[in-house]
Amino acid sequence: MKLIDGKAVAAEIKKEIAEEVSQIIASGGKRPHLAAVLVGHDGGSETYVANKVRSCEEVGFQSTLIRYEEDVTEAELLACVNRLNDDPDIDGFIVQLPLPQHISEEKITEAIDYRKDVDGFHPVNVGRMSLGMPCFLSATPAGIVELFKRYKIETKGRHCVVLGRSNIVGKPVSVLMMQKGNPGDCTVTVCHSRTKNISEICLQADIIIAALGVPGFLKGDMVKEGAVVIDVGTTRLPSDKTKSGFRLAGDVLFDEVAPKCAWITPVPGGVGPMTIVSLLKNTLLAGKKEIYSQ
Ligand code: GUN
């Protein structure tokens, strides 16, 4: 079994981005600027957004954090999105999800200018991704694909089973794994909460991407020898062993599954760090106006 070290790969890519930012600044260009909008005080969202802002600083980006209380109205949030859309200094921005019940995530996502949608959640970016056109790829699927690329793990012709059909991970990663090229060219099966015989399907998989959000869902007896397992789960469970009072639990029962794998990602330190790096890559592209010219 070999460990896919997302933390190390993410550090390497951050270095590459930081070097590129230095070159941009040295040649008189503009420092890329990411804004993040955070509503309320959900612990997970606070941590993710703080990491995103810190990572921006590490690579030399400018970052702006805009906070709203839980009771912000949809109209106020839409006005904020429109201000960011119109602000020429902001290259890209994200609105951290989930949003409170009284705000439509769909409406907010659609209101974001797709040319600044560095999360890759806008229907234009999702559609262009499905068509294999240049776009902002959503961060977690892009991070997973990057791991296959950097570790030179063969995907062509292999059976990839995706567990989960979320808009953020399951759906887009299934499209990326089946697209033409490398990584890609997989035969993809998507399983979800209504799928029958998940164990039998997983046992036929060369690659399993687990993105259900169910801690320890994938057990040792569901994985064939030599499989590649990517664990996207990041459920926060209470713990008295950590300073923060919680620990991150993956969807894979690591101790059972790892001995059977050719490659496996740990939680934490696997897909998580790659997600942030993908966001940084998109922000750099947004700053350079490389995908959309204006
Ligand atoms: N919530 C969970 N993951 C994400 C993400 O990648 N972007 C945003 N905006 N919200 C999230």
Side-chain angles (χ1 to χ4, degrees), residues 16-211:
E16 294 165 11
I17 296 173
E19 272 163 29
E20 199 167 339
V21 174
S22 299
Q23 281 166 16
I24 291 171
I25 304 301
S27 56
K30 177 186 171 297
R31 196 176 286 284
H33 188 174
L34 174 79
V37 181
L38 175 59
V39 177
H41 298 274
D42 171 74
S45 294
E46 292 262 6
T47 309
Y48 293 135
V49 171
N51 281 342
K52 287 171 187 178
V53 169
R54 190 170 15 125
S55 299
C56 280
E57 279 152 23
E58 280 169 16
V59 298
F61 290 175
Q62 196 180 338
S63 66
T64 298
L65 173 60
I66 301 166
R67 300 197 67 136
Y68 287 97
E69 288 304 321
E70 194 83 19
D71 61 357
V72 64
T73 65
E74 191 175 85
E76 281 171 305
L77 202 55
L78 281 170
C80 170
V81 166
N82 286 327
R83 274 195 304 278
L84 293 169
N85 284 342
D86 293 340
D87 184 342
D89 196 56
I90 300 290
D91 297 298
F93 66 98
I94 63 158
V95 178
Q96 186 66 23
L97 305 178
L99 291 170
Q101 286 268 313
H102 65 280
I103 298 174
S104 159
E105 290 185 356
E106 226 169 66
K107 248 193 212 171
I108 299 294
T109 303
E110 267 204 285
I112 296 172
D113 184 334
Y114 64 87
R115 296 166 297 187
K116 293 191 177 188
D117 167 41
V118 285
D119 256 332
F121 290 170
H122 189 281
V124 168
N125 282 310
V126 177
R128 290 175 68 98
M129 185 253 330
S130 304
L131 296 168
M133 295 165 72
C135 65
F136 293 122
L137 288 177
S138 67
T140 305
I144 294 168
V145 167
E146 189 67 26
L147 285 176
F148 281 103
K149 205 185 276 177
R150 298 252 167 175
Y151 277 89
K152 298 187 172 65
I153 297 171
E154 181 64 75
T155 56
K156 186 168 60 182
R158 301 185 85 184
H159 183 200
C160 174
V161 170
V162 176
L163 302 177
R165 55 178 161 179
S166 70
N167 288 338
I168 291 184
V169 185
K171 272 188 219 169
V173 84
S174 65
V175 171
L176 293 181
M177 294 304 285
M178 76 170 147
Q179 75 183 352
K180 278 189 183 169
N182 182 30
D185 286 332
C186 282
T187 304
V188 177
T189 303
V190 181
C191 299
H192 47 77
S193 55
R194 300 286 185 270
T195 301
K196 291 176 183 153
N197 311 326
I198 285 199
S199 288
E200 284 85 342
I201 296 169
C202 286
L203 276 167
Q204 293 167 21
D206 303 308
I207 298 167
I208 300 177
I209 300 175

